[in-house]
Amino acid sequence: GAGVSQTPSNKVTEKGKYVELRCDPISGHTALYWYRQSLGQGPEFLIYFQGTGAADDSGLPNDRFFAVRPEGSVSTLKIQRTERGDSAVYLCASSLDGTGKFFGPGTRLTVL
Amino acid sequence: GEDVEQSLFLSVREGDSSVINCTYTDSSSTYLYWYKQEPGAGLQLLTYIFSNMDMKQDQRLTVLLNKKDKHLSLRIADTQTGDSAIYFCATGGGGNKLTFGTGTQLKVEL
């Protein structure tokens, strides 16, 4: 079956611009997670959704970052006024019951 | 906060066993995970173990958990060149989020 998909695979933007990153979880998975991975590091937690609601957003670095999941399936991570330090690979994962967490291929964001 | 530590590199010969080690601080972790990441790719879930288990075996993979010492290991039997990748240990603590180590780069030599 289809795994987690993320679009775009690559995004290049200029400092100060707004970007949206999309995640399509595995069908039927109620839990959805966003992580950020910088070069040479392990992924860092950003936000977790259970259904439509954000159950834990403690990893969002500041109020420029926001995520939504309006229908409990697709999620969008939104970054306002992008900074060069936001450059990273943004990973999405989904889970049926919170145990096995399956990751998508990621979106590589480059802020020039 | 929670911390997960791994050695950075491991080099083995093809056909040998590989053992990748991980230590963690969060004693409330319910599940502990191993992920594999190949260059330019996402994270592939290899296996995970429930915190009340000592060992889990899945084909060539064996996971050992020492909860007292907060030590997790992944053994790969008969290591192949296709096993070359970065391996991440992760703990699943409160709030259902994962805390990852920095990854161990496994290099398999012929």
Side-chain angles (χ1 to χ4, degrees):
Chain A
V4 177
S5 63
Q6 293 186 244
T7 53
S9 55
N10 278 284
K11 176 70 178 178
V12 181
T13 191
E14 293 180 341
K15 179 175 178 296
K17 298 289 189 183
Y18 168 82
V19 296
E20 289 190 351
L21 312 179
R22 176 187 167 108
C23 172
D24 272 278
I26 293 171
S27 178
H29 281 195
T30 56
L32 185 146
Y33 313 81
W34 283 99
Y35 286 78
R36 177 168 73 172
Q37 186 176 23
S38 299
L39 192 62
Q41 301 295 317
E44 294 180 313
F45 171 78
L46 295 176
I47 187 169
Y48 153 55
F49 287 89
Q50 183 61 248
T52 60
D56 183 353
D57 65 357
S58 62
L60 294 177
N62 52 59
D63 61 6
R64 294 186 299 105
F65 288 75
F66 189 71
V68 296
R69 196 185 185 200
E71 297 178 359
S73 178
V74 170
S75 176
T76 305
L77 178 66
K78 308 180 181 195
I79 310 174
Q80 297 178 322
R81 304 183 305 280
T82 51
E83 299 177 357
R84 292 194 180 89
D86 299 335
S87 295
V89 176
Y90 288 80
L91 297 166
C92 176
S94 71
S95 178
L96 179 62
D97 58 6
T99 54
K101 295 172 173 61
F102 299 91
F103 281 80
T107 294
R108 182 176 298 278
L109 176 66
T110 303
V111 182
L112 300 176
Chain B
E2 300 92 356
D3 191 30
V4 178
E5 293 193 356
Q6 303 177 237
S7 54
L8 291 179
F9 298 103
L10 176 65
S11 181
V12 299
R13 288 180 183 267
E14 188 178 42
D16 287 351
S17 292
S18 309
V19 179
I20 303 171
N21 294 299
C22 169
T23 58
Y24 60 95
T25 59
D26 185 4
S27 57
S28 69
S29 298
T30 307
Y31 290 94
L32 299 105
Y33 299 80
W34 285 103
Y35 283 87
K36 175 183 179 183
Q37 188 173 41
E38 295 179 88
L43 293 162
Q44 176 192 351
L45 177 61
L46 289 177
T47 187
Y48 59 92
I49 187 169
F50 189 50
S51 59
N52 69 353
M53 297 171 64
D54 298 325
M55 185 182 85
K56 180 178 180 181
Q57 186 151 4
D58 184 359
Q59 300 183 336
R60 292 191 298 122
L61 305 179
T62 303
V63 178
L64 295 178
L65 174 60
N66 182 329
K67 200 173 177 182
K68 173 177 170 290
D69 293 340
K70 297 179 189 169
H71 182 269
L72 184 73
S73 68
L74 174 70
R75 178 178 180 269
I76 305 172
D78 187 25
T79 313
Q80 302 297 307
T81 54
D83 295 323
S84 293
I86 299 176
Y87 290 80
F88 289 95
C89 167
T91 61
N96 221 355
K97 61 187 178 187
L98 297 180
T99 301
F100 284 84
T102 52
T104 298
Q105 183 164 359
L106 174 65
K107 182 179 178 183
V108 182
E109 298 176 327
L110 297 172

